[in-house]
Amino acid sequence: MQRTDVTEMIMTAKIRNGIKWCDVAAQVGLSKEWVTAGCLGQMTFDARQAAIVGEVFGLPEEAVLVLQQVPYRGSLPTAVPTDPLVYRFYELVSVYGTTFKALIHEEFGDGIMSAIDFRMDMQREPDPAGDRVSITMSGKFLPYKTY
């Protein structure tokens, strides 16, 4: 069984049973963003977390074991994403990437924002002109070291 097979099982059960990511996250006891990433194959669940996910989605034991394996990260099927929503994030990096880089370096120095020591929060933001998507990303700053 491959990780993509498990993701397919999860998505089928999610649709069939009307399961919401925030409800799964509440049962696991972690953020909806991290649990969703795990269910979509990008994070490793520990045994307890995997058992809960398995129970929620009615997964076989083999799938629960697969959830505990370190995944091959990076889920985009093409170098330039073709899905319109995912493409907007590619576009954000294409347009604002140099701005992010310049501002981070000015504020912190030479280094990177970690995607490992990382948190994300996505919320709906009501707006009279049409609701907005609010995404907050927080990654630890990792300076380059001299040696």
Side-chain angles (χ1 to χ4, degrees):
M1 179 175 296
Q2 300 295 313
R3 189 60 181 85
T4 53
D5 300 322
V6 177
T7 300
E8 235 177 84
M9 285 188 243
I10 288 172
M11 290 307 299
T12 299
K14 181 185 184 310
I15 293 163
R16 182 185 318 116
N17 299 313
I19 298 169
K20 294 183 140 269
W21 294 123
C22 60
D23 295 333
V24 180
Q27 290 185 56
V28 172
L30 296 169
S31 75
K32 70 181 180 298
E33 294 79 11
W34 193 91
V35 171
T36 303
C39 289
L40 296 177
Q42 297 301 303
M43 298 296 166
T44 307
F45 290 107
D46 66 23
R48 182 194 67 81
Q49 297 160 348
I52 294 168
V53 170
E55 186 176 321
V56 168
F57 292 107
L59 301 176
E61 178 146 347
E62 184 182 6
V64 172
L65 292 173
V66 171
L67 290 172
Q68 297 171 63
Q69 302 306 305
V70 176
Y72 183 86
R73 291 182 172 93
S75 60
L76 299 179
T78 59
V80 177
T82 57
D83 178 88
L85 189 140
V86 177
Y87 180 80
R88 294 287 92 67
F89 288 95
Y90 174 80
E91 184 177 47
L92 281 169
V93 172
S94 294
V95 173
Y96 292 103
T98 54
T99 302
F100 295 150
K101 179 177 173 58
L103 292 172
I104 288 169
H105 288 310
E106 183 175 274
E107 181 70 25
F108 293 93
D110 189 12
I112 62 169
M113 181 179 89
S114 176
I116 295 169
D117 189 342
F118 180 81
R119 290 187 303 267
M120 176 176 58
D121 181 58
M122 191 284 304
Q123 299 292 327
R124 176 182 225 129
E125 187 179 297
D127 189 289
D131 288 358
R132 302 178 67 84
V133 178
S134 176
I135 298 174
T136 302
M137 296 185 290
S138 174
K140 180 180 180 181
F141 180 74
L142 302 171
Y144 282 101
K145 295 182 179 184
T146 55
Y147 53 94

